[in-house]
Amino acid sequence: MLEVRNIETLYGLVMALRGVSLQLAEGRITAVLGANGAGKSTLIKTIMGLIEDQPDKGAIWLDDKRIDHRDTEEIVRLGLAFVPEGRQVFAELTVQENLAMGAYTRRGAAVRADLERVYGLFPRLLERQRQLAGTLSGGEQQMLAIGRALMMRPRILFLDEPSLGLSPLLVREIFATIARVNAEDQTTILLVEQNANMALSVCHQGYVMENGRFVLAGSAAELANDPDVREFYLGIQSEVSVKGYQRYKRKKRWR
Amino acid sequence: MRKGLILALSLALTLALAGVGVAAPVRGVSDTTIKIGQWGPQTGPAALWGSVARGTGCYFELLNAEGGVNGRKIEYFLRDDGYQPNRTKAVVKELLENVGVFGFASGVGTSPGMAVMPDMIANEVPWVGTATGSTHWAFPPKKTIFAVYPNYPDEAAILTNYILFTLKKEKIAFIYQNDDYGKGGLDGAQAEIKAHGKSLVAEIPVEVTDTDLASHVMKLKQAGAEAVIMWVLPKHAAILLGTSAKLGFKPQWVACSTLSDAPLMHKITKGLWNGVIFGNFAELPDSTSPLMVKYKAAFDKFADKKSDHWGVFFYAGFGFVEPMVEGIKRAGKDLTVDSFVKAMETLKDFKGIMGRVTYAPGERQGMREVFIGRCGEAEVTTPDGKQEKMGQAVRLSDWIAVK
Amino acid sequence: MFFQLIVSGIAIGATYALMALAMVIIYKTSEVLNFAQGDMAMLSAFVAFTLLTENNLGFPAAFAGALAFAFALGAFLEFAFLRRAKEPNVLGLIIITLGLEMILYGLASWKWGSDQKDFPFPVSDFDTHELGTVVVSDLNLVTLAVALSLMLLLFVFFRYTKAGVAMKATQQNEVAARLMGIRVNRILMLTWGISSVVGAAAAFMIAPVDTLDPNLMWTPQLKGFSAAVLGGMTSLVGAVGGGFLLGIIENLFGGYVSVEFKSVVAFAVIVVVLCLRPSGLFARHYVRKV
C-alpha cells in the first residue's frame, strides 16, 4: 500500500511539508484534517507528482516501488486517482467525454460497465451527459470530477476538499457516495477536508495537520473524542465551569 | 638673408615631401587587387535573379585566371540581401566600412538599389550595371553611378511598338507589379501607345504577395485584350499564364526582359510559355559570338552546376559588369574614383554580349536597345532517357534602339 | 463574372482552409500560433518533389512518403524544440516557432536552391469543366475534395476518437489531463504531426498552381492565419468556413472593387472581425475563467 516516508516539499524557498509520514490502510478511508494552508493539498500534489522536482527529501512508496519524482501520467497509471480542489473538469467537453477521459488508460467492456455504474451513482450526470461540463452547477461538476476519477478504477482515490462551496445537502450526498464507493469497491481513499465533521463521519482513521506537520493521528472515533479536535476542528465548545466562568483559553496540547 | 634661407629650405622640404607624395590610398584598391562587391537575392521571392550575382563571380574568376585587370586581381564579395531593401542597406554598409570595396558591380532589384543609392551618391562609390531597368539610376545622372540595363520605359515602348506595328494588335493590356519596377514599364507602354493615338485597354496591378490571380485574369479577359504585356515576377508570370489557360483566356503574351530565360520560364509554366514574346538585353544562350563562346567555357569551368544553368540571368552577370571592367582597364594603373569615372565616360558604342553601351559626361544610361525574342520548343532527351520539350528562345529581330 | 469569381474564390479558399485547419489544430491544444506552419509544409512539398523527380516514385508513393515525412517533421519539431523550452510561456513558444520558420526556410534554400521549380501533380489545373460561363479545373475540384474530406476526418477524429478528445482535454486543462493519465507530451507531438500533415496537403495543392520555391507558403500561411482568426482560432469548422469566406471575399473585392487592394482585404476583414466579434464568426467559445 501507499507509504509516505518523512517527505519535505518546498515551494520555492517556503517549506510546505516539514517531514510528513503517512501510511494508508488498504480499503479504508483516511482523512487529513487541517486548517487552510496547513499543507494538506500539498501532500496530495506531492504524492501525485504535480509539484515539479518535489519532494525535496523523503520517499513515497507504493507497495515495493518508489514513486516519487515520476511523471504524473505514470503515477496515475499505477492506480492513483486524484479529484483536485475546484473540480478541474474539462469545461468544453461534454459530461460523457469527461467520463471517457477518466477511462483514458483503460479499454474494453469493463469501461462501459463502469460508465453505467458512475451514472448509477450520480443519476444527474446521466441526465446531462451531452451537456458541456462548463455549464454544470458546482455540485454537478464535483460529481463529474469524482465520477471521472472513478472511471479509472483506481486503487487509491485522493479527494481534495470535495465539500468546498457546496450546499450542506449536496455535501451529504457526496460523502454518502464516497462511503458507498469505499464499501462496495474496497477503494482506498485519502480525503483532505476542512469540514472535519463530515470527514470524521465517513473516515476510518485520520490525521491532523498543522504547519506542514502531522500533529495528531488516530481512528475516527479517537479523533472525534479528542478534546482539541472537538474544540478547534469540530467547533464544539468545551463545557463551561459551574460558576459560569469561561475557563482559561485552551491551548492545543501539541504545541 | 638668413630668414630667406630658412624660408627657401622649408619650402623645398614641403615640395619634396609633396613630391614623394604617397597618393592617398584608394579604398579597395591595392597594387595587386581590387575589391568589388555585389548584393543579390540568393533567397526570397526574387531568388531566380540571384544567379546574376553568381554569374559576375564566374566572370571575375575568368578575368583573374587571365591575369586580372591591369595586373590587379579582382576580389569579389557577394552578399545575400533576400531582395529586402533594409538588408541591402546593411550589406552595403558592411562592404563599404568593414571590407572596403572599390565599388559595386550590378546588384539585383530596383527597391534594394533605391535603398542604397543615397549612400552611393554621398560616398561617391562607383556602381555600374544595376540589374534592373529602373530610370532612377541614370535620370538625373549621378557622377559615379552607371546604368547598363535598358531602362523599363524604353523597353516597354519598344515592345508596345512591336505589338502595334509588327504583330498588328491594337487591344493591349498591361499587367504590372505594383512598384517602381512594374510602374516603370507601364509608363513606357502608356507613353508609346498614346503617341499613336490609342490607349491601353486594361492596366492591372499585382502585389508581390498575391498568389491568386483569378480576378486579375478576369479583368484582362473582360477588357478583351488581344495582347498582354507582363511586368511581373517569374512566379507571378507562371500563375498568370496558368490561371489564364484555365479560364480560357488566350491573348498574345508579351514579357519584359526580366522574364527572358525561356527554358526556365517554359519549365515553371509547364509549357505555357511557348509562343510568348519578350524583350532581350543580351545574346541568346546558344549564340556563337566569340565572347559568348568564351563565357560559356568559363561557366563550364568555374560555375556550380547544381545551382546554376547556362541561362540569360547567369551570363547577364557577365554582361552588366563588362563596361565596369572596361572602365577599370581604361583607367590604367592609377586607378581612383575620378580616373575611373573619366575612363567610363570614354565608352562609346562599347559592345560586349549585350547591346551597345555609351556614356558621356551627363549621360549615364549606357544601353538603350533590346531585341525581340519568342519562346519556341525543342525536343531534348533527359539524362534518364525521356523525351521532353524544352523552352528555347528564338530571335525575332535585330537590336532595336529607342527612337 | 460573378459566379466565376465565387468559384475561383472557393478554389483558392480551399487552400486557405487547409492552412487554417493546420494552424487551428496546434492552437487548440497549446495556444501556440505556429509561424513555422507554412515552411513545414513547404519542406514537405520539396520532399514530395524530390521523391517524384529524383527517386522516380509514383504519385501515391511519393505523396504518402512526403506526408509521412510531414508527420515526422511536426512531431520532431515539437519534441526537439518546443518541449525543451524552459518555463515556457505562449509568447516564448511563438518566438520559437518564428525561429524554426527561419531555420526551415534556410534549410530548404540550402538543400533545394531558391530558384523556382515546377511541381508535378497528377491532376492538371488546365483540364477544365465548363458550367455555363463558369470554369472549374480538375485541380480545383481535387483541392476542394481534399479540404472537405480532411476537415471531415479531423472532425470525426476530434469528436469520436479517444486521442482526439484527449487533445481537446489537454488544451482545456493540462493538469487535469495529466491526472487522467494522458501523456501530454505525446499528445502535443501527435498534434504537431497531424497539423504538419494537413499543412503539407495544402502545400501539395498550392504548389502545382504556383511554382515550388522556398517562398511557396509565405502568403498561404498568412491567409490561413487570417482565415483561422476569422473562424475563431479554435473551431475546425470555423477555420474551414473562414478559409472559403476569405477566398470569396478576396475575389469579389478584386473583381468589383479594386485589384490593387485585393491582398490587403484579408487583413482588413480580420481587423473588422476582431473589433466586432473577437471570438470569430463561427466560434461558440465557452469563456474560460482564468
Side-chain angles (χ1 to χ4, degrees), chain A:
Chain A
M1 229 332 68
L2 187 83
E3 197 184 339
V4 173
R5 292 185 195 157
N6 202 24
I7 58 169
E8 291 182 2
T9 295
L10 302 173
Y11 273 121
L13 293 173
V14 178
M15 193 181 281
L17 296 182
R18 306 157 176 264
V20 173
S21 295
L22 166 87
Q23 216 166 351
L24 291 189
E26 181 112 47
R28 292 309 192 74
I29 302 179
T30 305
V32 176
L33 309 179
N36 222 355
K40 303 177 309 263
S41 298
T42 307
L43 173 61
I44 305 190
K45 284 186 187 159
T46 307
I47 296 172
M48 295 303 297
L50 286 170
I51 306 173
E52 214 174 315
D53 292 333
Q54 298 296 333
D56 190 46
K57 291 201 180 112
I60 302 165
W61 293 77
L62 182 67
D63 302 327
D64 44 8
K65 261 186 284 180
R66 237 185 116 151
I67 62 163
D68 50 300
H69 292 98
R70 289 208 201 178
D71 286 341
T72 305
E73 294 96 306
E74 307 310 320
I75 295 171
V76 167
R77 281 159 195 260
L78 297 172
L80 276 62
F82 175 32
V83 179
E85 188 181 341
R87 285 61 115 169
Q88 309 284 351
V89 295
F90 301 116
E92 286 175 65
L93 298 186
T94 63
V95 169
Q96 179 108 8
E97 285 172 328
N98 265 277
L99 293 175
M101 283 297 99
Y104 182 76
T105 55
R106 307 168 58 205
R107 50 191 90 238
V111 175
R112 269 247 58 89
D114 281 349
L115 189 65
E116 296 304 318
R117 178 173 147 73
V118 168
Y119 283 142
L121 288 171
F122 303 108
R124 255 196 276 178
L125 295 183
L126 183 61
E127 289 165 31
R128 309 209 185 281
Q129 57 172 320
R130 304 222 163 278
Q131 214 167 307
L132 292 186
T135 64
L136 299 180
S137 73
E140 289 163 344
Q141 287 192 12
Q142 187 65 62
M143 293 174 190
L144 180 58
I146 296 174
R148 190 177 63 175
L150 290 177
M151 289 300 290
M152 290 180 220
R153 277 258 153 202
R155 278 181 68 194
I156 308 172
L157 178 63
F158 297 89
L159 293 157
D160 192 357
E161 308 275 8
S163 72
L164 201 69
L166 302 186
S167 72
L169 206 66
L170 266 172
V171 171
R172 218 161 299 148
E173 193 182 327
I174 295 224
F175 274 84
T177 312
I178 292 168
R180 188 175 152 197
V181 166
N182 168 255
E184 289 177 7
D185 300 353
Q186 266 70 55
T187 309
T188 309
I189 294 175
L190 179 71
L191 175 65
V192 155
E193 258 298 350
Q194 287 191 58
N195 186 340
N197 235 328
M198 218 51 234
L200 288 177
S201 74
V202 296
C203 75
H204 302 100
Q205 57 173 37
Y207 293 86
V208 175
M209 184 175 246
E210 278 195 6
N211 293 322
R213 277 195 195 93
F214 284 148
V215 288
L216 195 63
S219 70
E222 281 165 6
L223 289 178
N225 290 321
D226 184 278
D228 292 332
V229 172
R230 281 171 70 86
E231 178 159 354
F232 293 110
Y233 291 100
L234 300 177
I236 300 166
Q237 274 284 305
S238 305
E239 58 205 64
V240 171
S241 84
V242 248
K243 286 186 178 168
Y245 295 121
Q246 172 83 44
R247 280 170 41 168
Y248 62 91
K249 176 111 173 100
R250 270 188 65 98
K251 283 229 169 85
K252 290 172 194 162
R253 273 172 297 148
W254 54 74
R255 275 218 173 126

Side-chain angles (χ1 to χ4, degrees), chain B residues 285-308:
Chain B
D286 51 2
S287 160
T288 53
S289 82
L291 264 183
M292 282 296 281
V293 172
K294 184 173 153 192
Y295 291 172
K296 173 75 168 50
F299 167 81
D300 290 338
K301 194 163 164 201
F302 299 114
D304 177 5
K305 312 297 178 300
K306 249 177 79 184
S307 56
D308 287 304

